[in-house]
Amino acid sequence: MSTYIDVARETATTSKAARPAGLGEIMPALIFVGIFFIVPVVALLLRSVLEPVVGFGNYAELLGSATYLKIFANTFIVSGLVTAISLLIGFPVAWTLAIMPTRLASVIFAVLLLSMWTNLLARTYAWMVLLQRTGLINKMLIGMGLIDRPLPLVNNLTGVTIGMTYIMLPFIILPLYGVIKKIDPAILQAAALCGANRWQCLTRVLLPLAARGMVAGALMVFVMSLGYYVTPSLLGGTANMMLAELIAQFVQSLVNWGMGGAAALVLLVVTLSLYAVQLRLFGVQNTGGR
Amino acid sequence: MLLNFDRLGWWKYALVAVTVLTAAFLLLPILFIAALSFGSSQWLIFPPPGWTLQWYSQLFADPQWLGSAWTSFRIASIVTVLSVLLGLVTSFGLVRGTFLFRDALKALFLTPMILPVVVLAVALYAFFLRMGLGGTMIGFVISHLVLALPFSILSISNALEGFDKSIEDAAVLCGASPLEAKIRVTLPAISHGLFSAAVFSFLTSWDEVVVAIFMASPTLQTLPVKVWSTLRQDLTPVIAAASSLLILLTITLMALVAIARKVLKS
């Protein structure tokens, strides 16, 4: 009995003494993240207004030059294209997965997860080989008699779009699946009973009910696409550079930290503000971007 | 009707066709790499004229490829241990803590997941240049840990939130010290979270490309960096062999997670 009281007393006193509780436990991680995440990122952004001279000269140059504006435009065009195509393919797939017999669906899920977790470089390499002039895709198209001469599928917009869409598809299918799975089939039955035909059921009931999920998934894919580096630089050409490559180029080959920092800030501001929109509209969701 | 598979009519076939084609599209590059790595054509002709193991023997005969694989493995292992330990302690603080701005701090810990990786890579590159950590093992470990820690905190926090703290309190009341209760009662109960934290941390480090490109030096590089720099010269089938090994490890770890989930849940 006495031990019971002792323990109870001890628990009471320690929780009072250690208020606010839990701060000690998060301290090591907080210090780590502070030194190796916040400080470096803030320092990089500061360099954009400090180097080579103090002021906003780097931003003026970045936003005033046709070359850089073209890169911004291209980044948005590629991301927009990838988002649109992913949504177009992803919606029917997510819909089918939500209503398919579970055994078949779980096979498709395994494929989705496998592709998501397969090394990004490995997958990009595969597309470089598949899409080249003498690659399998061109050979198949010629073999089927659809084209006479090999199409330029890589080192251009087509290549980046195919490669990026391939990477983004799982990221849009999985959240959409969750949204469609939650829709009550009775609502659609009711619509059918009220005389709606299949097409009306789709456009007036199912699509509006899934709209929130579609916007959330599209935003996520768009934001992730904006910052991608590896795939665009391997599958895209020099003519359609994207923002992440520009940042890397400023830093690696031009050793221009001021401009690199400025471009990084632009990417960061666009990314975080779109992410804030998503948070405001839909609450927290898991993302992952490379 | 649209959500009932059997009553979709001919739409059913159209939808299944799109889904199967998409799955094939997702699977194609992965199978293609595996096939290429055994193909005998130097010029990556497919289907290849014959089958061979020469790309694998080239891979294993080259000290650079082997060295970078070993570097990757060592870095990923250290990152995994640190990430799980740090993630565990932090999750206890985040889940049970009562301090101000708890949710904001949790969001801060998860930010590296949503930040464009190239920004982090460039920022760390600049920072490590000044600290003299560029191209070092410590530099690699730190930078990969920044990326792996959010996954760890997320999986362990989720597991810990699903655990009823009164069970731990009961152990204390039965005479265990608070630490003993945590180790012998709470840890086994959240082991599935620890396990997925470990696997995600390992894979995050093992597959990391962008930060590693900036972190690497001529003498110290990870396997993805070696793949990257070889890719810039040519598309040799040796890369297919290296990629196949990267994928094989991923599949093995994913299968382990699936098995562990089943075992730990039952």
Side-chain angles (χ1 to χ4, degrees), chain B residues 155-170:
Chain B
S155 349
I156 301 177
S157 292
N158 281 345
L160 201 58
E161 261 156 22
F163 171 74
D164 186 355
K165 185 173 185 288
S166 52
I167 301 173
E168 188 183 307
D169 295 339

Side-chain angles (χ1 to χ4, degrees), chain A residues 36-286:
Chain A
F36 295 110
F37 177 60
I38 298 171
V39 169
V41 171
V42 171
L44 174 71
L45 300 181
L46 276 180
R47 290 175 89 162
S48 72
V49 285
L50 297 176
E51 290 177 24
V53 285
V54 180
F56 292 96
N58 289 320
Y59 292 96
E61 195 182 333
L62 201 61
L63 301 173
S65 132
T67 322
Y68 300 140
L69 285 181
K70 204 181 149 238
I71 293 175
F72 288 134
N74 185 60
T75 310
F76 281 94
I77 291 170
V78 169
S79 303
L81 259 177
V82 168
T83 308
I85 301 174
S86 303
L87 202 56
L88 219 59
I89 304 175
F91 179 77
V93 173
W95 174 16
T96 319
L97 277 174
I99 59 173
M100 226 179 193
T102 34
R103 185 165 297 182
L104 200 57
S106 60
V107 175
I108 310 272
F109 269 116
V111 173
L112 278 179
L113 291 177
L114 175 65
S115 122
M116 241 170 122
W117 279 98
T118 296
N119 186 284
L120 184 70
L121 261 183
R123 288 181 286 162
T124 309
Y125 167 73
W127 283 113
M128 289 170 82
V129 179
L130 279 165
L131 295 174
Q132 62 183 337
R133 280 184 170 276
T134 55
L136 192 60
I137 307 279
N138 263 321
K139 266 171 59 184
M140 267 167 54
L141 290 176
I142 293 174
M144 286 191 294
L146 290 172
I147 49 171
D148 302 328
R149 245 172 293 163
L151 294 171
L153 295 174
V154 81
N155 294 324
N156 53 26
L157 188 65
T158 318
V160 197
T161 310
I162 294 175
M164 296 271 289
T165 306
Y166 169 80
I167 285 154
M168 292 303 165
L169 267 174
F171 289 101
I172 204 149
I173 292 175
L174 292 176
L176 271 183
Y177 165 82
V179 171
I180 298 174
K181 193 87 187 169
K182 276 195 204 121
I183 298 174
D184 187 352
I187 299 174
L188 282 139
Q189 261 166 9
L193 282 176
C194 292
N197 65 29
R198 208 163 274 179
W199 188 248
Q200 287 169 323
C201 278
L202 175 68
T203 52
R204 299 240 199 120
V205 186
L206 187 59
L207 280 176
L209 282 175
R212 275 176 71 86
M214 286 165 75
V215 176
L219 261 176
M220 193 169 89
V221 165
F222 187 77
V223 170
M224 281 169 68
S225 305
L226 285 178
Y228 255 59
Y229 173 61
V230 168
T231 312
S233 57
L234 289 176
L235 290 173
T238 38
N240 47 16
M241 194 191 257
M242 282 177 71
L243 196 44
E245 296 171 78
L246 182 68
I247 297 172
Q249 201 183 59
F250 274 136
V251 168
Q252 274 185 320
S253 24
L254 306 173
V255 202
N256 186 338
W257 287 98
M259 289 297 277
L265 184 93
V266 172
L267 177 58
L268 205 59
V269 167
V270 178
T271 301
L272 292 183
S273 39
L274 285 177
Y275 196 70
V277 170
Q278 179 167 14
L279 270 184
R280 170 139 299 183
L281 290 178
F282 311 105
V284 187
Q285 246 179 358
N286 292 343

Side-chain angles (χ1 to χ4, degrees), chain B residues 128-209:
Chain B
F128 284 171
L129 276 183
R130 296 215 168 152
M131 311 285 279
L133 286 172
T136 66
M137 195 76 181
I138 299 175
F140 265 115
V141 168
I142 290 174
S143 57
H144 286 186
L145 186 56
V146 172
L147 288 168
L149 190 59
F151 286 101
S152 203
I153 291 180
L154 206 58
S155 349
I156 301 177
S157 292
N158 281 345
L160 201 58
E161 261 156 22
F163 171 74
D164 186 355
K165 185 173 185 288
S166 52
I167 301 173
E168 188 183 307
D169 295 339
V172 174
L173 286 175
C174 289
S177 74
L179 185 65
E180 204 178 349
K182 276 194 179 67
I183 292 171
R184 295 181 56 180
V185 177
T186 313
L187 281 191
I190 60 166
S191 53
H192 60 286
L194 293 175
F195 190 73
S196 39
V199 172
F200 284 136
S201 298
F202 190 92
L203 282 182
T204 302
S205 171
W206 177 256
D207 280 341
E208 161 54 38
V209 191

